[in-house]
Amino acid sequence: MTDKAAVLYMVIPCYNEEAVLGETSRRLLDIFDRMIKESLIAPLSRIVFVDDGSRDGTWEIINELSENNESIRGIKLARNAGHQNALMAGLMTVREECDCAVSIDADLQDDIEVIPEFIKKFREGCDVVYGVRNSRTTDTAFKRFTALSFYKLMVSMGVNIVPDHADYRLMSRRALDALSEFSEVNLFLRAMVPLCGYKSDMVYYERHERFAGESKYPLKKMLSFAMDGITSFSITPIRCISVFGSIMCVISLAAFIYTLCIKFFGHTTAGWTSLMASIWFLGGVQLLSVGLIGEYIGKIYKEVKRRPRFIIEEYKK
Ligand code: UDP
Ligand code: MG
């Protein structure tokens, strides 16, 4: 445990968030003041808004905020790169200046009152602290069901993911350094961070409603995000093709015996037996072949990601 106050950088991606920025910065500055007074964080700590190519007055507001307050900074992306990319841009820009960084959405739906707990866990030696929702009362039943099914599906496909954790988390500088080694383009941070390893812990919190503005994640975007998450982390869907192909081949054998029985003991039209047997057999063989090609594509996919093969935690000499 270190007693030194940590330099904390808050990283906040913003896309068309002019309606919330004033209130968000007020609330964050307030909790910063309190944490600085308690010597939890150093006065050098900063709030960094990342403007993700907004089309409204978001950047003008960020500009004004940063001019009036030295704790606030702004990064402007040249175009809308998407939430995950904006977050990564912010984290990678600040990583050399901070001891730890906390990422949070601009609408502060995630409870900022638990940030002191994040910092305490960081000072106790955790490199990653995941913010986990302890209830989903503010979500609709549909969202609750789809989110739960999604986490279950991900886990069943071998992806290491923390249920009910989105992108509200603290990462230490060395965890950020590890994250910087991941050169993949399709980002799904909530599954990438656990791959960094290091000691982690969770902090539970209540998720609020968005206090102003509207969600930038409509259902269509959410589905494509989920699809991205699966296809960026698992080749299980490809394996399913091979398994299905093998099952088809076995069925084709049964179908072959069945068609022969009908041919000899029943009544069939000429050509039916050979047709039936070939349809099943060829179907099975084709699926199996696609699955086999898929295995190689899966390998290529893993290679092109160029993920770090290992991350060294300590080297004692
Ligand atoms: N966001 C972004 N770029 C985008 C879409 C969203 O930076 O293309 C940001 C947005 O400003 C917010 C965060 O991502 O800070 C999460 O979005 P939102 O709160 O609308 O999602 P929800 O909470 O409804 O899932
Ligand atoms: Mg939100």
Side-chain angles (χ1 to χ4, degrees):
M1 160 126 190
T2 63
D3 286 328
K4 210 175 116 261
V7 177
L8 164 72
Y9 272 53
M10 294 284 301
V11 176
I12 306 142
C14 311
Y15 178 57
N16 297 343
E17 296 286 13
E18 61 180 10
V20 303
L21 280 177
E23 177 66 16
T24 295
S25 56
R26 240 188 322 278
R27 290 192 199 174
L28 285 173
L29 285 170
D30 173 60
I31 195 155
F32 259 49
D33 273 349
R34 279 186 276 147
M35 289 194 293
I36 291 171
K37 279 203 190 94
E38 288 170 29
S39 297
L40 270 178
I41 63 170
L44 276 175
S45 299
R46 297 283 178 264
I47 297 165
V48 183
F49 290 107
V50 183
D51 174 22
D52 184 16
S54 300
R55 275 170 297 191
D56 63 359
T58 298
W59 180 243
E60 285 67 36
I61 297 174
I62 294 174
N63 233 331
E64 202 184 307
L65 286 169
S66 73
E67 265 160 32
N68 296 333
N69 198 311
E70 65 164 0
S71 299
I72 296 182
R73 290 193 181 170
I75 298 172
K76 185 181 192 316
L77 301 191
R79 63 172 179 87
N80 179 237
H83 176 211
Q84 299 288 296
N85 291 314
L87 198 51
M88 192 69 159
L91 293 174
M92 292 302 112
T93 309
V94 305
R95 90 185 143 99
E96 278 167 11
E97 294 169 70
C98 65
D99 294 326
C100 58
V102 168
S103 49
I104 191 167
D105 292 348
D107 54 13
L108 300 192
Q109 281 186 281
D110 306 306
D111 187 7
I112 57 169
E113 295 303 321
V114 297
I115 296 175
E117 275 179 62
F118 279 27
I119 304 290
K120 279 177 199 146
K121 298 230 184 247
F122 166 69
R123 289 170 68 172
E124 282 163 18
C126 285
D127 281 278
V128 182
V129 185
Y130 299 101
V132 178
R133 300 170 205 184
N134 57 11
S135 74
R136 280 186 168 265
T137 42
T138 53
D139 285 345
T140 57
F142 175 74
K143 178 129 188 192
R144 248 178 298 182
F145 172 74
T146 46
L148 187 71
S149 319
F150 176 65
Y151 288 120
K152 281 204 172 136
L153 186 67
M154 290 291 272
V155 170
S156 73
M157 292 198 294
V159 184
N160 187 358
I161 191 168
V162 180
D164 284 336
H165 159 71
D167 285 307
Y168 184 30
R169 75 179 83 80
L170 175 145
M171 291 181 78
S172 70
R173 184 173 174 162
R174 68 173 184 171
L176 291 170
D177 287 344
L179 188 66
S180 73
E181 306 256 331
F182 289 73
S183 48
E184 59 204 83
V185 183
N186 293 293
L187 299 181
F188 190 71
L189 287 165
R190 63 194 71 173
M192 284 164 70
V193 174
L195 288 180
C196 296
Y198 293 135
K199 190 171 171 216
S200 65
D201 205 342
M202 296 176 207
V203 165
Y204 294 88
Y205 68 93
E206 203 75 48
R207 186 163 155 104
H208 310 297
E209 304 269 6
R210 193 181 240 279
F211 65 81
E214 53 190 45
S215 172
K216 311 295 178 299
Y217 265 103
L219 185 65
K220 198 171 135 235
K221 243 187 183 173
M222 230 160 61
L223 284 177
S224 93
F225 184 54
M227 197 61 194
D228 243 11
I230 293 170
T231 52
S232 298
F233 279 85
S234 175
I235 57 166
T236 306
I238 296 182
R239 292 248 156 87
C240 288
I241 302 179
S242 312
V243 172
F244 195 52
S246 312
I247 294 172
M248 281 284 278
C249 281
V250 174
I251 293 178
S252 90
L253 203 71
F256 184 58
I257 296 170
Y258 169 74
T259 49
L260 276 187
C261 290
I262 297 284
K263 181 180 163 68
F264 291 119
F265 307 114
H267 302 281
T268 62
T269 336
W272 181 82
T273 313
S274 50
L275 248 171
M276 279 310 281
S278 358
I279 287 173
W280 281 95
F281 182 64
L282 280 179
V285 168
Q286 277 169 354
L287 272 181
L288 208 58
S289 315
V290 172
L292 188 67
I293 296 172
E295 280 295 322
Y296 285 94
I297 293 179
K299 291 267 178 328
I300 296 170
Y301 146 104
K302 283 188 174 166
E303 291 292 340
V304 294
K305 278 191 188 297
R306 300 203 142 271
R307 279 188 181 155
R309 277 166 289 189
F310 48 81
I311 287 158
I312 294 174
E313 182 159 352
E314 269 178 63
Y315 177 28
K316 279 243 156 66
K317 278 186 268 190

